[in-house]
Amino acid sequence: MSTQTKTESRSGKNNGAPASIVWFEIPVDNVERAKTFYGKLFGWKIERFPGPKPYWHIDTGGADATPDGGMMERQCPEHSFTNYMGVPSVEKAAAKVKKLGGKICMEKTAVPEMGYFVVCQDTENNTFALWERNEKAK
């Protein structure tokens, strides 16, 4: 295992773009059934996240560098797994997505006191999200 940090390029220079998965989200039709499945399959602990909207935190049990995730009720039939990529600025990264031929499905959205996300679609119609950590998010 390398001691190189995730934000360093192979040249050893920090490029400021972590570009690693920092969170994932699983849409489900039946929360209890999915909790049982993933809990028994991987040993994940899945608990309701406080707040007005139904959302569950998935504790994968891995080291701090291992991403945890979330579980939510499916929003539409096409709703599938979404991986969140850590970036220094969701606005800059979203602009680059558009420049490279991708689409923005959900504009910059705040998760209060945690950060911002933007949901995107790549040139192959795959959905992914950008995540900017910012404890001042409102």
Side-chain angles (χ1 to χ4, degrees):
M1 177 182 252
S2 170
T3 58
Q4 183 177 13
T5 64
K6 287 187 178 184
T7 58
E8 284 183 349
S9 66
R10 291 183 187 210
S11 67
K13 294 181 182 176
N14 185 329
N15 62 13
S20 60
I21 296 173
V22 295
W23 186 261
F24 63 89
E25 228 166 35
I26 303 172
V28 300
D29 297 315
N30 181 309
V31 173
E32 291 306 314
R33 180 177 64 207
K35 282 173 59 176
T36 299
F37 177 81
Y38 286 107
K40 289 183 177 181
L41 180 63
F42 298 125
W44 291 349
K45 294 181 182 112
I46 304 168
E47 301 293 330
R48 175 81 189 253
F49 198 75
K53 293 185 179 183
Y55 196 82
W56 290 261
H57 173 254
I58 300 171
D59 180 350
T60 60
D64 287 345
T66 304
D68 281 352
M71 184 178 289
M72 63 189 304
E73 295 169 343
R74 189 178 310 279
Q75 304 299 300
C76 65
E78 303 82 26
H79 193 186
S80 62
F81 265 78
T82 303
N83 290 312
Y84 287 70
M85 310 304 175
V87 296
S89 165
V90 293
E91 290 174 349
K92 288 179 181 177
K96 195 168 184 180
V97 165
K98 290 183 203 176
K99 183 179 178 182
L100 295 171
K103 297 177 186 170
I104 303 305
C105 303
M106 180 181 232
E107 295 291 336
K108 181 179 175 180
T109 304
V111 177
E113 301 176 13
M114 296 177 85
Y116 298 99
F117 70 92
V118 174
V119 178
C120 308
Q121 189 176 62
D122 70 11
T123 57
E124 307 308 307
N125 296 320
N126 297 302
T127 301
F128 66 97
L130 305 168
W131 173 256
E132 173 188 334
R133 186 180 181 121
N134 186 331
E135 290 151 5
K136 295 178 184 177
K138 299 180 195 184

